[in-house]
């Protein structure tokens, strides 16, 4: 039995304007998006995440003595988590200003259908398509 107390789960509070928890974490980039595009930043955020979310990915399986990259379908929650991870990674790679500016630029690019996060999704889909022959190892 642990001597420490049980850790309480911390939940992010919802944003008073948009009434969304994810938005509360991304307030500064959304303000920059609104300044750049003069449109609703929440719709751009949703469009960017929807555009980057992958449908299929590859998972490494060891069969016999060899390893194969087996394509598997991804659920919606895991896909959204991957999309957010890729968006943050792509914005961290960009040189220059602060993180709010880089993340807002990446979100706008992803909503338009370009950018590093979209390239990562297409690369994952290409990899899954190339290894479609190993789908029976699922």
């Amino acid at each position: 039995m642990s001597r420490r107390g049980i850790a309480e789960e911390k939940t992010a509070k919802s944003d008073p304007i948009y009434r969304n928890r994810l938005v509360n974490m991304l307030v500064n980039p959304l303000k920059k998006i609104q300044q750049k595009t003069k449109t609703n930043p929440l719709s751009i955020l949703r469009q960017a995440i929807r555009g980057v979310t992958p449908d299929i990915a590859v998972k490494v399986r060891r069969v016999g003595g060899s390893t194969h990259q087996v394509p598997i379908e991804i659920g919606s929650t895991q896909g959204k988590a991957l999309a957010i991870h890729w968006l943050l990674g792509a914005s961290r790679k960009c040189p220059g200003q602060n993180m709010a500016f880089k993340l807002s630029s990446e979100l706008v690019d992803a909503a338009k259908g370009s950018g590093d996060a979209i390239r990562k999704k297409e690369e994952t889909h290409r990899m899954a398509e190339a290894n479609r022959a190993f789908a029976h190892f699922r």
Side-chain angles (χ1 to χ4, degrees), residues 19-36:
R19 292 176 177 74
N20 194 333
R21 289 183 183 167
L22 180 63
V23 172
N24 192 26
M25 298 179 209
L26 301 170
V27 169
N28 289 336
L30 287 177
K31 288 179 182 174
K32 299 231 186 253
I33 288 172
Q34 190 165 13
Q35 291 171 355
K36 282 183 187 177

Side-chain angles (χ1 to χ4, degrees), residues 81-98:
L82 268 175
I84 292 169
H85 183 75
W86 290 345
L87 282 166
L88 288 173
S91 59
R92 282 187 190 120
K93 279 185 183 178
C94 294
Q97 292 87 2
N98 58 358

Side-chain angles (χ1 to χ4, degrees), residues 7-13:
E8 295 178 16
E9 283 191 31
K10 296 178 184 174
T11 57
K13 295 179 182 174

Side-chain angles (χ1 to χ4, degrees), residues 110-128:
K112 289 179 182 175
S114 61
D116 284 346
I118 295 286
R119 186 182 53 75
K120 178 81 171 170
K121 175 194 170 186
E122 290 170 353
E123 181 182 316
T124 303
H125 278 260
R126 253 187 275 120
M127 190 77 109

